Amino acid sequence: MGINSESDTVANIQIGPTDRGMVRIYIEGDGVDLPLDFDPDEATEIAEELLAAVEVARAMGSTGKKGKPRR
């Protein structure tokens, strides 16, 4: 499965600080229980990548290349 492959998988995501000064991205779904810990600098890089992807997705949406809405 690649980044452009659609999926019907349902998952929950939680993001927050840990008591050890890390940033945790916690993903939970059918058969998945995945805690991912990052130091603050790594978490900042991830946040920047997410924001860059948002800008590209918005630009694609304004040209009529909309995908299935996610809820």
Side-chain angles (χ1 to χ4, degrees):
M1 173 177 269
I3 196 84
N4 285 320
S5 300
E6 289 192 31
S7 171
D8 289 331
T9 302
V10 176
N12 295 312
I13 186 170
Q14 297 177 22
I15 302 170
T18 69
D19 59 358
R20 295 188 178 186
M22 302 291 280
V23 176
R24 176 164 290 172
I25 298 174
Y26 181 75
I27 301 168
E28 180 184 29
D30 189 25
V32 176
D33 184 24
L34 186 60
L36 302 166
D37 291 344
F38 302 93
D39 67 44
D41 290 334
E42 290 173 316
T44 298
E45 288 179 31
I46 292 167
E48 289 169 352
E49 289 181 32
L50 279 167
L51 290 171
V54 166
E55 292 304 314
V56 171
R58 281 188 176 143
M60 291 174 65
S62 67
T63 61
K65 296 183 180 178
K66 293 185 180 180
K68 182 170 71 173
R70 306 212 30 118
R71 293 185 179 159

